[in-house]
Coordinates of all heavy atoms in Angstrom, one line a residue:
M160 N 7.5 -84.9 -22.1 CA 7.2 -83.7 -22.9 C 7.7 -83.9 -24.3 O 8.8 -84.3 -24.5 CB 7.9 -82.5 -22.2 CG 7.7 -81.2 -22.9 SD 8.6 -79.7 -22.3 CE 8.2 -79.8 -20.6
V161 N 6.9 -83.5 -25.3 CA 7.3 -83.6 -26.7 C 7.6 -82.3 -27.2 O 6.7 -81.4 -27.3 CB 6.1 -84.3 -27.5 CG1 6.5 -84.4 -28.9 CG2 5.8 -85.6 -26.9
C162 N 8.8 -82.0 -27.6 CA 9.2 -80.7 -28.0 C 9.8 -80.8 -29.4 O 10.5 -81.7 -29.8 CB 10.2 -80.0 -27.1 SG 9.6 -79.7 -25.5
G163 N 9.6 -79.7 -30.2 CA 10.2 -79.6 -31.5 C 11.6 -79.0 -31.4 O 12.1 -78.7 -30.3
A164 N 12.2 -78.7 -32.6 CA 13.5 -78.1 -32.6 C 13.6 -76.8 -31.9 O 14.6 -76.5 -31.3 CB 13.9 -77.9 -34.1
E165 N 12.5 -76.0 -31.9 CA 12.5 -74.7 -31.3 C 12.1 -74.8 -29.8 O 12.0 -73.8 -29.1 CB 11.5 -73.8 -31.9 CG 11.4 -73.7 -33.4 CD 10.6 -74.9 -34.0 OE1 9.5 -75.1 -33.6 OE2 11.1 -75.5 -35.0
G166 N 11.8 -76.0 -29.3 CA 11.4 -76.2 -27.9 C 9.9 -76.0 -27.7 O 9.5 -76.0 -26.5
A167 N 9.2 -75.9 -28.7 CA 7.7 -75.7 -28.6 C 7.1 -77.0 -28.3 O 7.5 -78.1 -28.9 CB 7.2 -75.1 -29.9
L168 N 6.0 -77.0 -27.5 CA 5.3 -78.2 -27.3 C 4.5 -78.6 -28.5 O 4.0 -77.7 -29.3 CB 4.3 -78.0 -26.1 CG 4.9 -77.9 -24.8 CD1 3.9 -77.5 -23.8 CD2 5.6 -79.1 -24.3
H169 N 4.2 -79.9 -28.7 CA 3.5 -80.4 -29.9 C 2.5 -81.5 -29.4 O 2.7 -82.1 -28.3 CB 4.4 -80.9 -31.0 CG 5.2 -79.9 -31.6 ND1 4.8 -78.9 -32.4 CD2 6.6 -79.7 -31.5 CE1 5.8 -78.1 -32.8 NE2 6.9 -78.6 -32.2
G170 N 1.6 -81.8 -30.2 CA 0.7 -82.9 -30.0 C -0.2 -82.8 -28.8 O -0.7 -81.7 -28.5
A171 N -0.5 -84.0 -28.3 CA -1.5 -84.1 -27.2 C -1.2 -83.2 -26.0 O -2.1 -82.7 -25.4 CB -1.7 -85.5 -26.8
E172 N 0.1 -83.1 -25.7 CA 0.5 -82.4 -24.5 C 0.1 -80.9 -24.7 O -0.4 -80.2 -23.8 CB 1.9 -82.5 -24.1 CG 2.3 -81.9 -22.8 CD 3.7 -82.2 -22.4 OE1 4.5 -82.7 -23.2 OE2 4.0 -81.9 -21.2
A173 N 0.5 -80.3 -25.8 CA 0.2 -78.9 -26.1 C -1.3 -78.7 -26.2 O -1.8 -77.8 -25.6 CB 0.8 -78.6 -27.5
L174 N -2.0 -79.7 -26.8 CA -3.5 -79.6 -26.9 C -4.1 -79.5 -25.5 O -4.9 -78.6 -25.2 CB -4.0 -80.8 -27.6 CG -5.5 -80.8 -27.9 CD1 -6.0 -79.6 -28.7 CD2 -5.9 -82.1 -28.5
G175 N -3.6 -80.3 -24.6 CA -4.1 -80.3 -23.2 C -3.9 -79.0 -22.5 O -4.8 -78.4 -21.8
Y176 N -2.7 -78.4 -22.7 CA -2.4 -77.1 -22.1 C -3.3 -76.0 -22.6 O -3.8 -75.2 -21.9 CB -0.9 -76.7 -22.2 CG 0.0 -77.5 -21.4 CD1 1.1 -78.2 -21.9 CD2 -0.2 -77.6 -20.0 CE1 2.0 -78.9 -21.2 CE2 0.7 -78.4 -19.2 CZ 1.8 -79.0 -19.8 OH 2.6 -79.7 -19.0
Y177 N -3.4 -76.0 -24.0 CA -4.2 -74.9 -24.6 C -5.7 -75.1 -24.2 O -6.4 -74.1 -24.0 CB -4.0 -74.9 -26.1 CG -2.7 -74.3 -26.5 CD1 -1.7 -75.0 -27.2 CD2 -2.3 -73.0 -26.0 CE1 -0.5 -74.4 -27.6 CE2 -1.1 -72.4 -26.4 CZ -0.2 -73.1 -27.1 OH 1.0 -72.6 -27.5
Q178 N -6.2 -76.3 -24.2 CA -7.6 -76.5 -23.9 C -7.9 -76.1 -22.5 O -8.9 -75.5 -22.2 CB -8.0 -78.0 -24.1 CG -8.1 -78.4 -25.5 CD -8.4 -79.9 -25.7 OE1 -7.8 -80.7 -25.0 NE2 -9.4 -80.2 -26.5
T179 N -7.0 -76.4 -21.6 CA -7.1 -75.9 -20.2 C -7.1 -74.4 -20.1 O -7.9 -73.8 -19.4 CB -6.0 -76.6 -19.3 OG1 -6.1 -78.0 -19.4 CG2 -6.1 -76.1 -17.9
A180 N -6.2 -73.8 -20.8 CA -6.1 -72.3 -20.7 C -7.3 -71.6 -21.2 O -7.8 -70.7 -20.6 CB -4.8 -71.8 -21.5
V181 N -7.8 -72.1 -22.4 CA -9.0 -71.5 -22.9 C -10.2 -71.8 -22.0 O -11.0 -70.9 -21.7 CB -9.3 -72.1 -24.4 CG1 -10.7 -71.7 -24.9 CG2 -8.2 -71.6 -25.3
G182 N -10.3 -73.0 -21.5 CA -11.4 -73.4 -20.6 C -11.4 -72.5 -19.3 O -12.5 -72.0 -18.9
V183 N -10.2 -72.3 -18.7 CA -10.2 -71.4 -17.5 C -10.6 -70.0 -17.9 O -11.3 -69.4 -17.1 CB -8.7 -71.5 -16.9 CG1 -8.6 -70.4 -15.9 CG2 -8.5 -72.9 -16.3
A184 N -10.1 -69.5 -19.0 CA -10.5 -68.2 -19.4 C -12.0 -68.0 -19.6 O -12.6 -67.0 -19.3 CB -9.7 -67.7 -20.6
E185 N -12.6 -69.0 -20.3 CA -14.0 -69.0 -20.6 C -14.8 -69.0 -19.3 O -15.9 -68.5 -19.2 CB -14.4 -70.2 -21.5 CG -13.9 -69.9 -22.9 CD -14.2 -71.1 -23.8 OE1 -14.4 -72.2 -23.3 OE2 -14.1 -70.9 -25.1
L186 N -14.3 -69.6 -18.2 CA -15.0 -69.7 -17.0 C -15.2 -68.3 -16.4 O -16.1 -68.0 -15.6 CB -14.3 -70.6 -15.9 CG -14.4 -72.1 -16.2 CD1 -13.5 -72.8 -15.2 CD2 -15.9 -72.5 -16.1
S187 N -14.3 -67.4 -16.7 CA -14.4 -66.0 -16.2 C -15.3 -65.1 -17.0 O -15.6 -64.0 -16.6 CB -13.0 -65.3 -16.2 OG -12.5 -65.1 -17.5
L188 N -15.9 -65.6 -18.1 CA -16.8 -64.8 -18.9 C -18.2 -65.1 -18.4 O -18.5 -66.2 -17.9 CB -16.7 -65.3 -20.4 CG -15.3 -65.0 -21.1 CD1 -15.4 -65.6 -22.5 CD2 -15.0 -63.6 -21.1
P189 N -19.1 -64.1 -18.7 CA -20.5 -64.3 -18.3 C -21.1 -65.5 -19.2 O -20.6 -65.7 -20.3 CB -21.2 -63.0 -18.6 CG -20.1 -62.1 -19.0 CD -18.9 -62.8 -19.2
E190 N -22.1 -66.1 -18.7 CA -22.8 -67.2 -19.4 C -23.3 -66.6 -20.7 O -23.8 -65.5 -20.8 CB -23.9 -67.7 -18.6 CG -24.4 -69.1 -19.0 CD -25.4 -69.7 -18.1 OE1 -25.2 -69.6 -16.9 OE2 -26.3 -70.4 -18.5
A191 N -23.2 -67.4 -21.8 CA -23.7 -66.9 -23.1 C -23.1 -65.6 -23.5 O -23.7 -64.7 -24.0 CB -25.2 -66.9 -23.2
F192 N -21.7 -65.5 -23.4 CA -21.0 -64.3 -23.8 C -20.9 -64.2 -25.3 O -20.4 -65.2 -26.0 CB -19.6 -64.3 -23.1 CG -18.8 -63.1 -23.5 CD1 -19.0 -61.9 -22.9 CD2 -17.8 -63.2 -24.4 CE1 -18.2 -60.8 -23.2 CE2 -17.0 -62.2 -24.8 CZ -17.2 -60.9 -24.2
Y193 N -21.3 -63.1 -25.9 CA -21.1 -62.9 -27.3 C -20.4 -61.6 -27.6 O -20.6 -61.0 -28.7 CB -22.5 -62.9 -28.0 CG -23.2 -64.2 -27.9 CD1 -24.3 -64.3 -27.0 CD2 -22.8 -65.3 -28.6 CE1 -25.0 -65.6 -26.9 CE2 -23.4 -66.5 -28.5 CZ -24.5 -66.6 -27.6 OH -25.2 -67.8 -27.4
G194 N -19.7 -61.1 -26.7 CA -19.0 -59.8 -26.8 C -17.7 -59.8 -27.4 O -17.2 -60.8 -27.9
V195 N -17.0 -58.7 -27.3 CA -15.6 -58.5 -27.8 C -14.7 -58.4 -26.7 O -15.1 -57.8 -25.6 CB -15.6 -57.3 -28.7 CG1 -14.1 -56.9 -29.1 CG2 -16.4 -57.4 -30.0
L196 N -13.5 -59.0 -26.8 CA -12.5 -58.9 -25.8 C -11.3 -58.1 -26.4 O -10.5 -58.7 -27.1 CB -12.1 -60.3 -25.3 CG -13.1 -61.1 -24.6 CD1 -12.7 -62.5 -24.4 CD2 -13.6 -60.5 -23.3
A197 N -11.3 -56.8 -26.2 CA -10.4 -56.0 -26.9 C -8.9 -56.4 -26.5 O -8.6 -56.6 -25.4 CB -10.6 -54.5 -26.5
W198 N -8.1 -56.4 -27.6 CA -6.7 -56.7 -27.4 C -6.0 -55.6 -26.6 O -5.1 -55.9 -25.8 CB -6.0 -56.8 -28.8 CG -4.6 -57.1 -28.8 CD1 -3.6 -56.2 -28.9 CD2 -3.9 -58.4 -28.6 NE1 -2.3 -56.8 -28.8 CE2 -2.5 -58.2 -28.6 CE3 -4.4 -59.7 -28.4 CZ2 -1.6 -59.2 -28.5 CZ3 -3.5 -60.7 -28.3 CH2 -2.1 -60.4 -28.4
S199 N -6.5 -54.4 -26.7 CA -5.9 -53.3 -26.0 C -6.0 -53.4 -24.5 O -5.3 -52.8 -23.7 CB -6.6 -52.0 -26.4 OG -7.9 -52.0 -26.2
E200 N -7.0 -54.3 -24.0 CA -7.1 -54.6 -22.6 C -6.1 -55.7 -22.3 O -6.3 -56.8 -22.7 CB -8.5 -55.0 -22.2 CG -8.8 -55.3 -20.8 CD -8.6 -54.1 -19.9 OE1 -9.1 -53.0 -20.3 OE2 -8.0 -54.2 -18.8
L201 N -5.0 -55.4 -21.6 CA -4.0 -56.3 -21.4 C -4.4 -57.7 -20.7 O -3.9 -58.7 -21.0 CB -2.8 -55.7 -20.6 CG -2.1 -54.5 -21.2 CD1 -1.1 -54.0 -20.3 CD2 -1.6 -54.9 -22.6
D202 N -5.4 -57.6 -19.9 CA -5.9 -58.8 -19.2 C -6.6 -59.8 -20.2 O -6.8 -61.0 -19.9 CB -6.9 -58.5 -18.1 CG -6.2 -57.8 -16.9 OD1 -4.9 -58.0 -16.8 OD2 -6.9 -57.2 -16.1
N203 N -6.9 -59.3 -21.4 CA -7.5 -60.2 -22.4 C -6.5 -61.0 -23.2 O -6.9 -62.0 -23.9 CB -8.4 -59.4 -23.3 CG -9.6 -58.8 -22.7 OD1 -10.1 -59.4 -21.7 ND2 -10.2 -57.7 -23.2
R204 N -5.3 -60.5 -23.2 CA -4.3 -61.1 -24.1 C -4.0 -62.6 -23.8 O -3.8 -63.4 -24.8 CB -3.0 -60.3 -24.1 CG -3.3 -58.9 -24.8 CD -2.1 -58.1 -24.9 NE -2.4 -56.8 -25.5 CZ -1.5 -55.9 -25.8 NH1 -0.2 -56.1 -25.6 NH2 -1.9 -54.8 -26.3
P205 N -3.9 -63.0 -22.6 CA -3.7 -64.5 -22.4 C -4.8 -65.3 -23.0 O -4.5 -66.4 -23.6 CB -3.7 -64.6 -20.9 CG -3.2 -63.3 -20.4 CD -3.9 -62.3 -21.3
F206 N -6.0 -64.9 -23.0 CA -7.1 -65.6 -23.6 C -6.9 -65.7 -25.1 O -7.0 -66.8 -25.7 CB -8.4 -65.0 -23.2 CG -9.6 -65.7 -23.9 CD1 -9.9 -67.0 -23.6 CD2 -10.4 -65.0 -24.8 CE1 -11.0 -67.6 -24.2 CE2 -11.5 -65.6 -25.4 CZ -11.8 -67.0 -25.1
H207 N -6.6 -64.6 -25.7 CA -6.4 -64.5 -27.2 C -5.2 -65.4 -27.5 O -5.2 -66.1 -28.5 CB -6.2 -63.1 -27.7 CG -7.4 -62.3 -27.5 ND1 -8.6 -62.6 -28.1 CD2 -7.6 -61.1 -26.9 CE1 -9.5 -61.7 -27.9 NE2 -8.9 -60.7 -27.1
R208 N -4.1 -65.4 -26.8 CA -3.0 -66.2 -27.1 C -3.3 -67.7 -26.9 O -2.8 -68.5 -27.7 CB -1.8 -65.8 -26.2 CG -1.3 -64.4 -26.5 CD 0.0 -64.1 -25.7 NE 0.5 -62.8 -26.1 CZ 0.6 -61.7 -25.3 NH1 0.3 -61.8 -24.0 NH2 1.1 -60.6 -25.8
A209 N -4.1 -68.0 -25.9 CA -4.5 -69.4 -25.7 C -5.3 -69.9 -26.9 O -5.2 -71.0 -27.4 CB -5.2 -69.6 -24.4
Q210 N -6.3 -69.1 -27.3 CA -7.1 -69.4 -28.5 C -6.2 -69.7 -29.7 O -6.4 -70.6 -30.5 CB -8.1 -68.4 -28.8 CG -9.3 -68.4 -28.0 CD -10.4 -67.5 -28.5 OE1 -10.1 -66.3 -28.8 NE2 -11.6 -67.9 -28.6
H211 N -5.3 -68.7 -29.9 CA -4.4 -68.9 -31.1 C -3.6 -70.2 -31.0 O -3.5 -70.9 -32.0 CB -3.4 -67.6 -31.1 CG -2.5 -67.6 -32.2 ND1 -1.1 -67.8 -32.1 CD2 -2.7 -67.3 -33.5 CE1 -0.6 -67.7 -33.3 NE2 -1.5 -67.4 -34.2
G212 N -3.0 -70.5 -29.9 CA -2.3 -71.7 -29.7 C -3.2 -73.0 -29.9 O -2.7 -73.9 -30.5
L213 N -4.4 -72.9 -29.4 CA -5.3 -74.0 -29.5 C -5.6 -74.3 -31.0 O -5.6 -75.4 -31.5 CB -6.6 -73.8 -28.7 CG -7.6 -74.9 -28.8 CD1 -7.0 -76.2 -28.3 CD2 -8.8 -74.5 -27.9
G214 N -5.9 -73.2 -31.7 CA -6.2 -73.3 -33.2 C -5.0 -73.9 -33.9 O -5.2 -74.8 -34.8
L215 N -3.8 -73.4 -33.6 CA -2.6 -73.9 -34.3 C -2.4 -75.4 -34.0 O -2.0 -76.1 -34.9 CB -1.4 -73.1 -33.9 CG -1.3 -71.7 -34.5 CD1 -0.1 -71.0 -34.0 CD2 -1.2 -71.7 -36.0
T216 N -2.7 -75.7 -32.7 CA -2.4 -77.1 -32.3 C -3.4 -78.0 -33.0 O -3.0 -79.1 -33.5 CB -2.5 -77.3 -30.8 OG1 -1.5 -76.4 -30.2 CG2 -2.3 -78.7 -30.4
W217 N -4.7 -77.7 -33.1 CA -5.7 -78.5 -33.8 C -5.2 -78.6 -35.3 O -5.3 -79.7 -35.9 CB -7.1 -77.9 -33.7 CG -7.8 -78.2 -32.5 CD1 -8.4 -77.2 -31.7 CD2 -8.1 -79.4 -31.9 NE1 -9.0 -77.9 -30.6 CE2 -8.9 -79.2 -30.7 CE3 -7.8 -80.7 -32.3 CZ2 -9.3 -80.3 -29.9 CZ3 -8.3 -81.8 -31.5 CH2 -9.0 -81.5 -30.3
W218 N -4.8 -77.5 -35.9 CA -4.3 -77.6 -37.3 C -3.2 -78.5 -37.4 O -3.1 -79.3 -38.3 CB -4.0 -76.1 -37.7 CG -3.8 -76.0 -39.2 CD1 -4.0 -76.9 -40.2 CD2 -3.3 -74.8 -39.8 NE1 -3.7 -76.3 -41.4 CE2 -3.2 -75.0 -41.2 CE3 -2.8 -73.5 -39.3 CZ2 -2.8 -74.1 -42.1 CZ3 -2.4 -72.6 -40.3 CH2 -2.4 -72.9 -41.6
R219 N -2.2 -78.4 -36.5 CA -1.0 -79.3 -36.6 C -1.4 -80.8 -36.5 O -0.8 -81.6 -37.1 CB 0.0 -79.0 -35.5 CG 0.7 -77.8 -35.7 CD 1.7 -77.5 -34.5 NE 2.4 -76.3 -34.7 CZ 3.3 -75.8 -33.8 NH1 3.5 -76.4 -32.7 NH2 4.0 -74.7 -34.1
L220 N -2.5 -81.0 -35.7 CA -2.9 -82.4 -35.6 C -3.9 -82.8 -36.7 O -4.4 -84.0 -36.7 CB -3.7 -82.5 -34.2 CG -2.8 -82.4 -33.0 CD1 -3.7 -82.3 -31.7 CD2 -1.8 -83.5 -32.9
G221 N -4.1 -82.0 -37.7 CA -4.9 -82.3 -38.9 C -6.4 -82.1 -38.6 O -7.2 -82.6 -39.5
E222 N -6.7 -81.5 -37.5 CA -8.2 -81.3 -37.2 C -8.6 -79.9 -37.7 O -8.8 -79.0 -36.9 CB -8.4 -81.4 -35.7 CG -8.0 -82.8 -35.1 CD -9.1 -83.8 -35.5 OE1 -10.2 -83.4 -35.9 OE2 -8.9 -85.0 -35.2
T223 N -8.7 -79.8 -39.0 CA -9.0 -78.4 -39.6 C -10.3 -77.9 -39.2 O -10.5 -76.7 -39.1 CB -8.8 -78.5 -41.1 OG1 -9.6 -79.5 -41.7 CG2 -7.3 -78.7 -41.5
K224 N -11.3 -78.7 -39.0 CA -12.7 -78.2 -38.7 C -12.6 -77.6 -37.2 O -13.2 -76.6 -37.0 CB -13.7 -79.3 -38.7 CG -14.0 -79.7 -40.2 CD -14.6 -78.6 -41.0 CE -14.9 -79.1 -42.4 NZ -15.1 -77.9 -43.3
K225 N -11.9 -78.3 -36.3 CA -11.8 -77.8 -35.0 C -10.9 -76.5 -35.0 O -11.2 -75.6 -34.3 CB -11.2 -78.8 -34.1 CG -12.1 -80.0 -33.8 CD -11.5 -81.1 -33.0 CE -12.5 -82.2 -32.8 NZ -11.9 -83.3 -32.0
A226 N -9.9 -76.5 -35.8 CA -9.0 -75.3 -35.9 C -9.9 -74.1 -36.4 O -9.8 -73.0 -35.9 CB -7.8 -75.5 -36.8
E227 N -10.7 -74.4 -37.4 CA -11.5 -73.4 -38.0 C -12.5 -72.8 -37.0 O -12.7 -71.6 -36.9 CB -12.3 -73.9 -39.2 CG -13.2 -72.9 -39.9 CD -14.0 -73.5 -41.0 OE1 -13.7 -74.6 -41.5 OE2 -15.0 -72.9 -41.4
A228 N -13.1 -73.6 -36.2 CA -14.0 -73.2 -35.1 C -13.3 -72.3 -34.1 O -13.8 -71.2 -33.7 CB -14.6 -74.4 -34.4
V229 N -12.1 -72.7 -33.7 CA -11.3 -71.9 -32.7 C -10.9 -70.5 -33.4 O -11.1 -69.5 -32.7 CB -10.1 -72.6 -32.2 CG1 -9.2 -71.8 -31.4 CG2 -10.5 -73.9 -31.4
F230 N -10.4 -70.6 -34.6 CA -10.0 -69.3 -35.2 C -11.2 -68.4 -35.5 O -11.2 -67.2 -35.4 CB -9.3 -69.6 -36.6 CG -7.9 -70.2 -36.4 CD1 -7.4 -71.0 -37.4 CD2 -7.2 -69.9 -35.3 CE1 -6.1 -71.5 -37.3 CE2 -5.9 -70.4 -35.2 CZ -5.3 -71.2 -36.2
G231 N -12.4 -69.0 -35.8 CA -13.6 -68.2 -35.9 C -14.0 -67.5 -34.6 O -14.4 -66.3 -34.6
N232 N -13.9 -68.3 -33.5 CA -14.2 -67.7 -32.2 C -13.2 -66.5 -31.9 O -13.5 -65.5 -31.4 CB -14.1 -68.7 -31.1 CG -15.3 -69.6 -31.0 OD1 -16.4 -69.2 -31.5 ND2 -15.2 -70.7 -30.4
S233 N -11.9 -66.8 -32.3 CA -10.9 -65.8 -32.1 C -11.2 -64.5 -32.8 O -11.1 -63.4 -32.3 CB -9.5 -66.3 -32.5 OG -8.5 -65.3 -32.2
L234 N -11.7 -64.6 -34.1 CA -12.0 -63.4 -34.8 C -13.3 -62.7 -34.3 O -13.4 -61.5 -34.4 CB -12.2 -63.8 -36.3 CG -10.9 -64.1 -37.0 CD1 -11.2 -64.6 -38.4 CD2 -10.0 -62.9 -37.1
W235 N -14.2 -63.5 -33.7 CA -15.4 -63.0 -33.1 C -15.1 -62.1 -31.9 O -15.5 -61.0 -31.7 CB -16.4 -64.1 -32.8 CG -17.6 -63.6 -32.1 CD1 -17.9 -63.4 -30.8 CD2 -18.8 -63.2 -32.8 NE1 -19.1 -62.9 -30.6 CE2 -19.7 -62.7 -31.8 CE3 -19.2 -63.1 -34.1 CZ2 -21.0 -62.3 -32.2 CZ3 -20.4 -62.7 -34.5 CH2 -21.3 -62.2 -33.5
T236 N -14.2 -62.7 -31.0 CA -13.9 -62.0 -29.8 C -12.8 -60.9 -30.0 O -12.7 -60.0 -29.1 CB -13.4 -63.0 -28.7 OG1 -12.2 -63.7 -29.2 CG2 -14.5 -63.9 -28.3
N237 N -12.1 -61.0 -31.0 CA -11.1 -60.0 -31.3 C -11.1 -59.6 -32.8 O -10.3 -59.9 -33.6 CB -9.7 -60.5 -31.0 CG -8.6 -59.5 -31.2 OD1 -8.8 -58.3 -31.3 ND2 -7.4 -60.0 -31.3
P238 N -12.2 -58.8 -33.2 CA -12.4 -58.5 -34.6 C -11.3 -57.6 -35.2 O -11.1 -57.6 -36.4 CB -13.7 -57.8 -34.6 CG -14.0 -57.3 -33.2 CD -13.2 -58.3 -32.3
D239 N -10.5 -57.0 -34.4 CA -9.4 -56.2 -34.9 C -8.2 -57.1 -35.3 O -7.3 -56.7 -36.0 CB -8.8 -55.2 -33.9 CG -9.8 -54.0 -33.6 OD1 -10.7 -53.8 -34.5 OD2 -9.8 -53.4 -32.6
D240 N -8.3 -58.3 -34.9 CA -7.4 -59.4 -35.3 C -5.9 -59.0 -35.2 O -5.1 -59.0 -36.1 CB -7.6 -59.8 -36.8 CG -6.9 -61.1 -37.2 OD1 -6.5 -61.9 -36.3 OD2 -6.6 -61.2 -38.4
N241 N -5.5 -58.7 -34.0 CA -4.2 -58.3 -33.7 C -3.2 -59.4 -33.8 O -2.0 -59.2 -33.7 CB -4.1 -57.7 -32.3 CG -5.1 -56.5 -32.1 OD1 -6.2 -56.8 -31.8 ND2 -4.6 -55.3 -32.3
Q242 N -3.6 -60.6 -34.0 CA -2.7 -61.8 -34.1 C -2.6 -62.3 -35.5 O -1.8 -63.3 -35.7 CB -3.2 -62.9 -33.2 CG -3.1 -62.5 -31.7 CD -3.8 -63.5 -30.8 OE1 -5.0 -63.6 -30.8 NE2 -2.9 -64.3 -30.1
G243 N -3.3 -61.8 -36.4 CA -3.2 -62.3 -37.8 C -4.0 -63.6 -38.1 O -3.6 -64.3 -39.0
I244 N -5.0 -63.8 -37.4 CA -5.8 -65.0 -37.6 C -6.4 -65.1 -39.0 O -6.5 -66.1 -39.6 CB -6.9 -65.2 -36.5 CG1 -6.4 -65.2 -35.1 CG2 -7.8 -66.4 -36.8 CD1 -5.5 -66.4 -34.8
R245 N -6.7 -63.9 -39.5 CA -7.3 -63.8 -40.9 C -6.4 -64.5 -41.9 O -6.8 -64.9 -42.9 CB -7.5 -62.3 -41.2 CG -6.3 -61.5 -41.4 CD -6.7 -60.0 -41.5 NE -5.5 -59.1 -41.4 CZ -5.0 -58.7 -40.3 NH1 -5.5 -59.0 -39.2 NH2 -3.9 -57.9 -40.3
Y246 N -5.1 -64.5 -41.6 CA -4.1 -65.1 -42.6 C -4.1 -66.7 -42.4 O -3.6 -67.4 -43.3 CB -2.7 -64.6 -42.4 CG -2.7 -63.1 -42.7 CD1 -2.4 -62.2 -41.6 CD2 -3.0 -62.5 -43.9 CE1 -2.3 -60.8 -41.8 CE2 -2.9 -61.2 -44.1 CZ -2.6 -60.3 -43.1 OH -2.6 -59.0 -43.3
L247 N -4.6 -67.2 -41.3 CA -4.5 -68.6 -41.0 C -5.9 -69.3 -41.4 O -5.9 -70.4 -41.8 CB -4.2 -68.8 -39.5 CG -2.9 -68.2 -39.0 CD1 -2.8 -68.4 -37.5 CD2 -1.7 -68.7 -39.7
I248 N -7.0 -68.6 -41.2 CA -8.3 -69.2 -41.3 C -8.6 -69.6 -42.7 O -9.2 -70.7 -42.9 CB -9.4 -68.4 -40.7 CG1 -10.6 -69.3 -40.4 CG2 -9.7 -67.2 -41.5 CD1 -11.7 -68.6 -39.5
G249 N -8.1 -68.9 -43.7 CA -8.3 -69.3 -45.1 C -7.8 -70.7 -45.5 O -8.5 -71.5 -45.9
P250 N -6.5 -70.9 -45.2 CA -6.0 -72.2 -45.5 C -6.6 -73.3 -44.7 O -6.8 -74.4 -45.2 CB -4.5 -72.1 -45.2 CG -4.2 -70.6 -45.3 CD -5.4 -69.9 -44.9
V251 N -7.0 -73.0 -43.5 CA -7.6 -74.0 -42.6 C -9.0 -74.4 -43.2 O -9.3 -75.5 -43.3 CB -7.7 -73.5 -41.1 CG1 -8.7 -74.3 -40.3 CG2 -6.4 -73.4 -40.5
K252 N -9.7 -73.4 -43.6 CA -11.1 -73.6 -44.2 C -10.9 -74.5 -45.5 O -11.8 -75.3 -45.8 CB -11.8 -72.3 -44.6 CG -12.4 -71.6 -43.4 CD -13.1 -70.4 -43.9 CE -13.8 -69.7 -42.7 NZ -14.6 -68.6 -43.2
K253 N -9.8 -74.4 -46.2 CA -9.6 -75.1 -47.4 C -9.1 -76.5 -47.1 O -8.8 -77.3 -48.0 CB -8.6 -74.4 -48.3 CG -9.2 -73.1 -48.9 CD -8.2 -72.4 -49.8 CE -8.7 -71.1 -50.2 NZ -7.7 -70.3 -50.9
G254 N -8.8 -76.8 -45.8 CA -8.2 -78.1 -45.5 C -6.8 -78.3 -45.8 O -6.3 -79.4 -45.8
V255 N -6.0 -77.2 -45.9 CA -4.6 -77.2 -46.2 C -3.9 -77.8 -45.0 O -4.2 -77.3 -43.9 CB -4.1 -75.8 -46.6 CG1 -2.6 -75.9 -46.8 CG2 -4.7 -75.4 -47.9
A256 N -3.0 -78.7 -45.2 CA -2.2 -79.2 -44.1 C -1.3 -78.2 -43.5 O -0.8 -77.3 -44.2 CB -1.4 -80.4 -44.5
W257 N -1.1 -78.2 -42.2 CA -0.3 -77.3 -41.5 C 1.2 -77.5 -41.9 O 1.6 -78.6 -42.2 CB -0.4 -77.5 -40.0 CG 0.5 -76.5 -39.2 CD1 0.2 -75.3 -38.8 CD2 1.8 -76.8 -38.7 NE1 1.2 -74.7 -38.1 CE2 2.3 -75.6 -38.1 CE3 2.7 -77.9 -38.8 CZ2 3.5 -75.5 -37.5 CZ3 3.9 -77.8 -38.2 CH2 4.3 -76.6 -37.6
H258 N 1.9 -76.4 -42.0 CA 3.4 -76.5 -42.2 C 4.0 -75.4 -41.4 O 3.4 -74.4 -41.0 CB 3.7 -76.3 -43.7 CG 3.2 -75.1 -44.3 ND1 3.9 -73.9 -44.3 CD2 2.1 -74.8 -44.9 CE1 3.2 -73.0 -44.9 NE2 2.1 -73.5 -45.3
P259 N 5.3 -75.6 -41.0 CA 5.9 -74.7 -40.0 C 5.9 -73.2 -40.4 O 5.8 -72.4 -39.5 CB 7.4 -75.2 -40.0 CG 7.3 -76.6 -40.4 CD 6.2 -76.7 -41.3
Q260 N 5.9 -72.9 -41.6 CA 5.8 -71.5 -42.1 C 4.5 -70.9 -41.9 O 4.3 -69.6 -41.9 CB 6.3 -71.3 -43.5 CG 7.8 -71.6 -43.7 CD 8.1 -73.1 -43.8 OE1 7.3 -73.9 -44.1 NE2 9.3 -73.4 -43.4
A261 N 3.4 -71.7 -41.8 CA 2.1 -71.2 -41.7 C 1.8 -70.5 -40.4 O 1.0 -69.5 -40.3 CB 1.1 -72.3 -41.9
G262 N 2.2 -71.0 -39.3 CA 1.9 -70.5 -38.0 C 3.0 -70.5 -37.1 O 3.1 -70.2 -36.0

């Protein structure tokens, strides 16, 4: 396990966990789902948190295009943006390197 000072997972291990979490959640959605998953519905929150973590992990790994895609999906499924993705997607779109204060 690769952990930072705060005990958070980083790198490939974190990526694997987040990809698995998002993949499992997506399996529960209808095929070709284009709807909204309201944050107010508590059962939707793990999916939103997994997307957030996946986007941050891609960004940490320098994969800004992949992070942008994940953050874009997050804003699509949760347009109320209860997680503040709107503050992350701008720097990601500009290709700004991740730094600890960003996410």
Side-chain angles (χ1 to χ4, degrees):
M160 183 184 307
V161 180
C162 292
E165 316 83 45
L168 292 172
H169 296 289
E172 187 172 16
L174 183 63
Y176 286 128
Y177 286 123
Q178 286 177 317
T179 299
V181 170
V183 168
E185 287 175 342
L186 288 174
S187 70
L188 298 174
E190 198 170 322
F192 178 78
Y193 297 106
V195 170
L196 298 171
W198 179 263
S199 59
E200 182 64 43
L201 296 180
D202 289 341
N203 292 335
R204 291 185 185 184
F206 177 63
H207 292 305
R208 289 183 179 122
Q210 279 190 313
H211 183 251
L213 181 58
L215 287 176
T216 302
W217 279 127
W218 191 9
R219 285 179 179 177
L220 294 172
E222 297 284 351
T223 55
K224 292 296 181 197
K225 291 178 181 179
E227 180 181 346
V229 172
F230 288 152
N232 283 342
S233 181
L234 289 172
W235 179 269
T236 58
N237 182 19
D239 290 337
D240 189 26
N241 304 86
Q242 295 173 286
I244 300 298
R245 65 188 171 275
Y246 301 114
L247 303 175
I248 199 167
V251 166
K252 282 183 174 184
K253 293 177 185 172
V255 174
W257 180 86
H258 56 87
Q260 292 79 23

